[in-house]
Amino acid sequence: MSSPAFSLMELPWLPRLAADFRSRLTSIVDAVDVDWGTGMRALATQYLELNQAIALARALGTLRARGESPSLTKFKLGLVSNATVDFVKPFLEVSALRHGIALEIVAANFGQFAQEAMDPASLVNRARPDAVLLAVDHRGLPFRAEDSSRWPPFDHRPAWDQISGVCEAFQRNCGATCLVQTLPAPSNLLFGSLDVGVAGTLRASIAQFNALAASNVAAAGDVLVDIDWLAQSVGLDKWYDDRYWFMARMPFAQKALPVYADYVARLVAAMRGKSRKCLILDLDNTLWGGVIGDDGVDGIVVSEGDARGEAFRAVQAAASDLRKRGVVLAVCSKNDEPMARSPFRSHPGMLLKEDDIAVFLANWDDKATNIERIADRLELGLDAMVLLDDNPVERALVREALPTVAVPELGDDPSIYARVLLAAGYFESVAFTAEDLARADQYKGNAERVQLQETSRNLDDFLRSLDMEIEFAGFDAIGRKRITQLINKTNQFNVTTRRYTEKQVSALETSADHYTLQVRVRDRFGDNGTIGIVICDARPDAWEIDTWLMSCRVLNRRIEEAICNRIVADAKKAGARKLFGVFVPTERNGMARDLFERLGFDAVGESHSGERWVLELDRFEPFDVPLAERGDLMQAT
Amino acid sequence: MNRDDIRSKLRDIAREIFENDELEVSDALSPDDVKAWDSLGHIRLVTATEEAFAVAFTIDEIEGLRTIGQIVALVDEKS
């Protein structure tokens, strides 16, 4: 193959199209009464060109019309543009599928982009989408100054005003979060190198637009899509194909469609908390060159000054940086454990240390089994895992056995491993919080707690030995990002799985009709941060739990009992006599199914929304819990 | 690659793009014969052809192409 080692447009982390694509697609469509979500997601997890994307998107439409898949998360995306986006649609659908999202696209007519936002009765506004993608091209924005006879020819202000006005209008008219794209640099310069520094050139104007977007979009609760970086990375020569702009207003080359759509889809998935959380590393020829069992600590290649060694160090540096931003690291290697640990202890070229690894499994069991063990130890789902492994056989086996684990293709050249891992976007995020910073340590603490639990005589002794402290507060601006993150990504311990945007969360902070709680827990292994969220509809006589979710890493610690004590105390104080709970079953939240029963609620039957439960507050005896409630708390109303 | 090879590869591309596995792809086939061969269908057909044969057409050529036969001839000329 003459192509360069790494080409972003070809999504090199995905396996190439399998020969049986069409027949597998047909057999999924022909099957009845089975969940098609996992099979379709696996089909989408390979490199697709336009024709395959269209075939897959069409099959997806047929299947969804028969019934939604419980293994996919629904998301409604408005699509507005000042360019032709007909070809974007099927790619967005299949790329979302790849990330576990069943995407419904509501597309406005070509060019109707500002009107669509301003008119409350427009197609997109009436559809009340979860988010709206502003797929705009700079050539359709008013960058060119109105007076064409004098300097400067371009101005970023009218363009920025239009975009920010559109965002505000969608917020006002349908409450949707906007996905706002940064703009790629123009293909042509006016002076040359001078353009970048001279206000009024197109290059400088677009740069100013992007700077405004970077500082304003997230602050307004919207989400930035960095298409500028994407186009740079692809290369502007390849990104722009002016023939198709002139003929059909297509904003970029067709060849860039797959990567563009994946780039958008991974952000949509991140908004739903579907980003991966744990990176599992193979060792031999993934973290270092050579085989530790054969070559020994002195024989492996992982030092500066050696090209292969530097390539492997780049993989370690990438993993280490991911850890710093909250991704948990684990090791899964077919090796004897002392041998596998020896480079971490004694090779001076190693950037990763044993302390960076939350779970270290080196044995001769098959990798799928070990990956399941790692997920259990960390109390994370398999769909939160990424496996980095140079061995194509292991990759294929894990993909087959555990289709929800992400397994990037790596090829033979270690110089691209780090780049492939990072370019795949597994750890895409729409916010960065203090909790993220502490997370990797928390998971490590978790694994240590599991060890302590094994040595404690009984659960209560163990829990008391943790010296847990619990702290309650109502929703506030400081916690807003983390609260929104938990509401949108918690799937397992979540009684209703209702999702709210940051704007809705912000409205709850001051709502007189709602009672809200953010719950923090500390113990002697560290601060777990905010691990629980409660929202109640607070009617005068009775409260109803709209949302109750908890982070899986603090389960089985009787924290739910402490939370129940607190809700009941506050409900009574407010004069309520009953507390209702609703359990809405999903494929993922089985572990929360018995919550209300365990807390002493009585079943009152099923409604259209789920199983209903009630607690008579007069008869409630507070639980004796192994946690200290800490400090003088904010009034949680 | 001779014209027959080009013709047969183009037939597969056209069938896929116009979503019709039984489409009779003759040299005379034009947008008048295929409903899906509208302006966007034309762009799909042309870009897929460019990719498959590693050729690039000018805008005049793209806008002037009316039949499969013309595409075959143009690919042959450029490759």
Side-chain angles (χ1 to χ4, degrees):
Chain A
M1 227 165 88
S2 61
S3 62
F6 181 93
S7 166
L8 189 63
M9 283 198 293
E10 284 162 29
L11 287 72
W13 54 91
L14 293 177
R16 301 301 92 181
L17 188 75
D20 61 357
F21 174 76
R22 294 274 169 181
S23 59
R24 279 170 67 195
L25 187 56
T26 308
S27 69
I28 293 174
V29 175
D30 289 346
V32 281
D33 292 337
V34 286
D35 176 22
W36 45 266
T38 309
M40 286 290 280
R41 186 176 179 180
L43 276 185
T45 309
Q46 47 189 336
Y47 178 67
L48 306 171
E49 289 178 350
L50 182 61
N51 293 330
Q52 293 116 27
I54 288 175
L56 194 56
R58 185 168 334 102
L60 182 63
T62 307
L63 291 164
R64 291 191 66 187
R66 272 187 228 154
E68 294 288 350
S69 162
S71 52
L72 299 173
T73 301
K74 284 202 281 183
F75 195 98
K76 196 188 278 187
L77 181 71
L79 176 59
V80 299
S81 181
N82 54 16
T84 304
V85 288
D86 297 66
F87 296 142
V88 172
K89 230 176 116 176
F91 267 111
L92 282 176
E93 287 167 357
V94 301
S95 306
L97 182 59
R98 182 180 298 145
H99 293 275
I101 300 280
L103 195 67
E104 180 190 337
I105 296 178
V106 182
N109 292 328
F110 172 79
Q112 301 275 310
F113 128 83
Q115 302 90 309
E116 200 63 34
M118 309 293 169
D119 175 6
S122 71
L123 187 70
V124 171
N125 279 326
R126 268 184 292 127
R128 304 201 71 77
D130 298 298
V132 179
L133 174 64
L134 312 185
V136 298
D137 188 272
H138 77 262
R139 290 164 288 191
L141 287 172
F143 272 103
R144 197 173 276 282
E146 280 181 21
D147 182 352
S148 59
S149 62
R150 29 174 109 238
W151 186 266
F154 297 101
D155 182 3
H156 69 279
R157 284 255 155 235
W160 172 252
D161 289 347
Q162 183 174 91
I163 291 297
S164 54
V166 162
C167 292
E168 283 164 25
F170 276 125
Q171 158 61 18
R172 192 169 59 241
N173 292 326
C174 70
T177 302
C178 284
L179 300 175
V180 181
Q181 299 184 172
T182 54
L183 304 173
S187 46
N188 301 325
L189 299 177
L190 188 56
F191 297 93
S193 294
L194 199 58
D195 281 45
V196 67
V198 172
T201 62
L202 184 54
R203 170 135 165 74
S205 301
I206 286 177
Q208 279 182 296
F209 176 100
N210 288 341
L212 282 170
S215 52
N216 290 305
V217 167
D222 292 318
V223 171
L224 203 63
V225 194
D226 194 3
I227 300 304
D228 177 28
W229 180 87
L230 185 65
Q232 284 183 50
S233 199
V234 162
L236 295 179
D237 276 357
K238 291 193 181 116
W239 179 262
Y240 289 115
D241 188 336
D242 287 338
R243 296 174 307 159
Y244 293 107
W245 173 259
F246 295 138
M247 280 190 291
R249 291 288 178 269
M250 285 163 56
F252 48 79
Q254 284 233 36
K255 194 116 204 302
L257 268 175
V259 72
Y260 168 82
D262 193 84
Y263 210 65
V264 173
R266 59 179 72 161
L267 270 174
V268 167
M271 289 175 76
R272 282 290 179 264
K274 289 184 157 287
S275 305
R276 309 270 166 176
K277 299 179 181 72
C278 173
L279 173 61
I280 303 174
L281 299 156
D282 170 54
L283 298 178
D284 293 331
N285 288 315
T286 299
L287 279 198
W288 54 68
V291 176
I292 185 68
D294 297 338
D295 303 325
V297 172
D298 299 338
I300 61 169
V301 181
V302 61
S303 296
E304 282 178 285
D306 172 288
R308 273 174 65 75
E310 297 217 10
F312 289 111
R313 279 168 60 89
V315 176
Q316 296 198 19
S320 170
D321 291 346
L322 286 169
R323 183 184 183 277
K324 284 173 206 135
R325 53 152 282 200
V327 173
V328 191
L329 302 185
V331 159
C332 175
S333 167
K334 284 190 173 163
N335 258 312
D336 288 323
E337 186 169 338
M339 189 62 95
R341 286 182 181 270
S342 56
F344 290 88
R345 290 174 179 168
S346 59
H347 198 298
M350 290 286 291
L351 293 173
L352 288 174
K353 305 294 173 206
E354 277 179 292
D355 247 11
D356 297 326
I357 311 295
V359 179
F360 197 114
L361 291 186
N363 55 44
W364 298 95
D365 298 338
D366 73 282
K367 290 220 167 175
T369 304
N370 276 331
I371 290 169
E372 286 180 312
R373 284 180 188 140
I374 291 169
D376 283 349
R377 287 276 281 277
L378 295 170
E379 294 169 332
L380 286 171
L382 287 166
D383 60 0
M385 303 285 151
V386 175
L387 172 68
L388 192 73
D389 195 320
D390 71 298
N391 183 330
V393 177
E394 299 288 7
R395 292 200 299 265
L397 285 171
V398 170
R399 280 194 199 113
E400 179 67 33
L402 309 172
T404 56
V405 173
V407 188
E409 283 296 282
L410 283 184
D412 300 327
D413 183 350
S415 71
I416 66 163
Y417 288 3
R419 197 156 170 209
V420 168
L421 171 66
L422 295 174
Y426 298 125
F427 308 105
E428 191 77 32
S429 186
V430 289
F432 184 48
T433 66
E435 312 284 339
D436 293 322
L437 272 175
R439 184 165 318 110
D441 288 327
Q442 288 162 359
Y443 278 103
K444 193 156 165 52
N446 232 22
E448 286 163 10
R449 272 176 218 109
V450 170
Q451 302 233 307
L452 176 64
Q453 188 166 1
E454 282 159 12
T455 56
S456 294
R457 283 184 309 279
N458 66 48
L459 185 64
D460 251 27
D461 287 351
F462 161 68
L463 292 176
R464 295 203 186 271
S465 73
L466 286 175
D467 301 330
M468 286 188 286
E469 291 178 339
I470 191 164
E471 183 179 330
F472 297 101
F475 287 5
D476 54 25
I478 299 168
R480 195 181 297 156
K481 280 217 180 326
R482 170 65 176 162
I483 292 165
T484 309
Q485 197 182 46
L486 279 169
I487 285 176
N488 287 293
K489 78 176 186 186
T490 306
N491 296 314
Q492 298 190 79
F493 197 102
N494 193 337
V495 293
T496 54
T497 322
R498 290 178 189 150
R499 310 298 195 189
Y500 297 110
T501 62
E502 190 172 322
K503 285 166 181 164
Q504 292 168 316
V505 169
S506 147
L508 285 169
E509 288 161 17
T510 50
S511 166
D513 303 326
H514 294 88
Y515 166 86
T516 57
L517 278 183
Q518 45 179 329
V519 185
R520 293 180 75 92
V521 169
R522 286 180 198 79
D523 63 37
R524 68 185 170 100
F525 293 101
D527 187 348
N528 291 281
T530 301
I531 48 75
I533 298 294
V534 174
I535 303 170
C536 294
D537 291 329
R539 295 192 301 273
D541 56 326
W543 285 17
E544 176 160 330
I545 297 166
D546 173 273
T547 294
W548 182 338
L549 61 86
M550 302 209 321
S551 165
C552 290
R553 61 175 187 259
V554 295
L555 294 186
N556 302 320
R557 290 165 67 172
R558 303 186 57 193
I559 290 169
E560 50 276 36
E561 295 175 9
I563 294 176
C564 186
N565 285 350
R566 176 74 194 203
I567 300 173
V568 171
D570 288 335
K572 278 175 140 172
K573 217 181 292 169
R577 312 194 36 184
K578 289 173 195 283
L579 177 62
F580 286 97
V582 187
F583 179 76
V584 184
T586 71
E587 197 184 50
R588 308 282 301 279
N589 70 352
M591 66 165 64
R593 160 150 265 151
D594 65 348
L595 173 71
F596 293 120
E597 188 173 7
R598 282 195 288 122
L599 295 174
F601 284 61
D602 296 314
V604 286
E606 306 236 347
S607 75
H608 64 284
S609 56
E611 301 164 10
R612 288 184 63 80
W613 298 81
V614 66
L615 187 67
E616 302 290 342
L617 299 186
D618 296 343
R619 303 215 309 263
F620 177 77
E621 283 290 326
F623 294 99
D624 178 23
V625 290
L627 297 99
E629 198 170 317
R630 193 181 156 280
D632 187 29
L633 302 165
M634 274 175 269
Q635 186 57 42
T637 325
Chain B
M1 190 177 276
N2 63 34
R3 286 205 177 195
D4 283 339
D5 297 335
I6 296 172
R7 215 170 257 121
S8 98
K9 205 163 164 184
L10 203 54
R11 182 195 59 210
D12 294 344
I13 292 171
R15 285 181 175 174
E16 189 156 21
I17 280 173
F18 301 134
E19 294 153 19
N20 180 351
D21 291 341
E22 270 97 55
L23 186 67
E24 283 298 329
V25 185
S26 69
D27 273 9
L29 193 74
S30 79
D32 301 333
D33 309 315
V34 187
K35 188 158 172 282
W37 195 341
D38 55 8
S39 57
L40 285 172
H42 189 61
I43 285 173
R44 271 179 75 195
L45 180 64
V46 170
T47 52
T49 305
E50 286 185 322
E51 187 127 321
F53 297 98
V55 293
F57 304 134
T58 67
I59 54 172
D60 288 341
E61 286 165 347
I62 295 170
E63 296 199 316
L65 289 171
R66 288 283 301 161
T67 65
I68 292 291
Q70 288 170 352
I71 301 177
V72 171
L74 191 60
V75 170
D76 188 31
E77 189 185 309
K78 293 200 171 234
S79 57

